[in-house]
Amino acid sequence: MKFRKKIAMLMILAMIQIPFPTYAAEEDKELSLIAAEQEREEEQLGEINPALTENISTDPTKETDKDKKERKKKLKQTRKEKEKENQRKLKEAADKKSDEKKTKDIKPREETVIIDADEPEIKPVPQITEPEPPQTVEIVSTLDQKISYANFTEVASAVKFIPLYMPRKSGYEITSLYAGQGIAEVRYGRRWEPTVSLTVRTYRRADGEELQDISGVQGVKWRVDTTTGTTIYIAKISETQHVAAWAVGHYTFSAQSENLSFAGFHSLVADELVELSTHYYLDL
């Protein structure tokens, strides 16, 4: 009985330690198929993107951290270079298209020449130079018995006409109003320059009355200015004083400045006072 048990145990041990040939062959065959399948997948992956086989290791344990950084750096640099190249090509294509459109749209211009046989000759406008101050100047007041008025309406009612005035937009504002012997006198001050003053006089002549100077200035050397179409007499009283006189229709005017340059006074008279008077004092 013991002998039989011993034989049975030996047979069991033999079966456990020594595998059967059929099982080993089947296992080897299955492993071979799996290895072949992996190799085929790696070959297909390499055919799809050869760069993968160059840059990506099949064995992660062989690639160090330094190798990974270098690989990523190269990939980024390659990507940037490709992006720059693509942008350059796109820009060249857009510029070429734009140039072609411009060339297509540009048409030769036809110059228009206007020939006017009766074109008048353009003459230069005479320039008014600053006059020399006279040796002796006498200022005679023509308003010996003048009356001061509170506002513009009162002085206009006293002389029975609307005196010439400077609009507030010009920078001048009325400081005092007088009237006497039919002459209205409006005095102005410059808002941002208190030392500058301006006096404007207006007189309406009766029918047949001779033209006379109402400025009250005598002994000056008058210069004639016709650049505005209206004859203006202008003179220098001193380095700080200037005077001008002119007439429109039945009205006679004069202006006198204090602490204003000759150029500034001439512009004020010609461009503003004479301009206003020629529009509002014409005889209709």
Side-chain angles (χ1 to χ4, degrees):
M1 192 67 182
K2 290 180 180 180
F3 180 74
R4 290 181 180 178
K5 288 182 178 180
K6 190 175 181 178
I7 291 173
M9 289 295 292
L10 289 174
M11 290 179 67
I12 292 170
L13 290 173
M15 291 175 65
I16 292 171
Q17 291 178 0
I18 301 172
F20 290 98
T22 54
Y23 292 153
E26 289 180 2
E27 185 178 1
D28 292 340
K29 184 178 180 181
E30 186 176 354
L31 290 173
S32 298
L33 290 173
I34 292 171
E37 184 67 24
Q38 288 181 350
E39 184 178 357
R40 187 164 50 255
E41 287 179 357
E42 289 178 359
E43 288 177 358
Q44 290 177 355
L45 186 63
E47 291 176 0
I48 294 171
N49 191 352
L52 292 175
T53 58
E54 297 175 3
N55 297 315
I56 300 175
S57 174
T58 55
D59 189 359
T61 57
K62 293 181 181 180
E63 188 177 25
T64 63
D65 293 338
K66 185 177 179 181
D67 294 337
K68 287 181 181 180
K69 289 181 180 179
E70 289 293 331
R71 176 170 54 80
K72 290 180 180 180
K73 185 176 179 181
K74 288 181 180 180
L75 287 174
K76 286 181 180 180
Q77 186 176 358
T78 304
R79 190 182 301 113
K80 287 182 180 179
E81 289 176 357
K82 288 183 179 180
E83 287 178 356
K84 287 182 180 179
E85 182 68 17
N86 290 336
Q87 289 177 359
R88 185 184 64 79
K89 289 181 180 180
L90 288 172
K91 188 176 182 302
E92 288 179 356
D95 292 342
K96 184 178 179 181
K97 188 175 181 180
S98 178
D99 292 339
E100 290 176 355
K101 186 178 180 181
K102 287 180 181 178
T103 305
K104 186 178 179 181
D105 294 340
I106 292 175
K107 295 181 180 179
R109 294 184 176 180
E110 296 181 1
E111 296 185 359
T112 303
V113 180
I114 300 174
I115 301 174
D116 188 358
D118 300 327
E119 184 177 357
E121 182 182 357
I122 299 175
K123 297 180 180 180
V125 178
Q127 299 294 324
I128 303 299
T129 57
E130 186 173 352
E132 293 287 339
Q135 297 294 328
T136 304
V137 178
E138 184 181 0
I139 300 177
V140 180
S141 176
T142 54
L143 301 177
D144 295 332
Q145 297 176 354
K146 62 184 179 181
I147 301 173
S148 176
Y149 292 89
N151 53 59
F152 195 83
T153 303
E154 288 183 2
V155 74
S157 300
V159 295
K160 307 301 181 186
F161 61 82
I162 305 297
L164 179 61
Y165 65 94
M166 290 288 293
R168 184 176 174 80
K169 187 179 179 181
S170 64
Y172 290 86
E173 57 185 3
I174 297 174
T175 58
S176 55
L177 297 159
Y178 300 95
Q181 295 149 8
I183 299 174
E185 181 180 287
V186 185
R187 296 183 182 180
Y188 298 88
R190 205 170 189 178
R191 291 196 298 273
W192 57 84
E193 292 181 88
T195 58
V196 176
S197 62
L198 178 70
T199 300
V200 180
R201 289 180 174 179
T202 308
Y203 175 70
R204 184 173 63 183
R205 303 188 312 276
D207 292 339
E209 184 180 355
E210 292 182 0
L211 183 65
Q212 60 179 340
D213 178 20
I214 63 170
S215 67
V217 180
Q218 295 179 358
V220 294
K221 185 178 179 181
W222 295 98
R223 299 177 71 88
V224 180
D225 175 16
T226 58
T227 56
T228 62
T230 299
T231 302
I232 306 170
Y233 297 90
I234 189 166
K236 184 176 182 179
I237 301 172
S238 67
E239 293 299 326
T240 58
Q241 292 178 303
H242 302 88
V243 63
W246 68 99
V248 178
H250 278 71
Y251 289 85
T252 306
F253 307 93
S254 74
Q256 187 175 330
S257 69
E258 181 79 24
N259 294 322
L260 195 64
S261 67
F262 176 79
F265 177 70
H266 177 263
S267 176
L268 182 69
V269 171
D271 299 336
E272 297 192 52
L273 290 172
V274 172
E275 180 75 9
L276 288 170
S277 62
T278 53
H279 281 82
Y280 296 105
Y281 294 92
L282 290 172
D283 293 333
L284 300 177

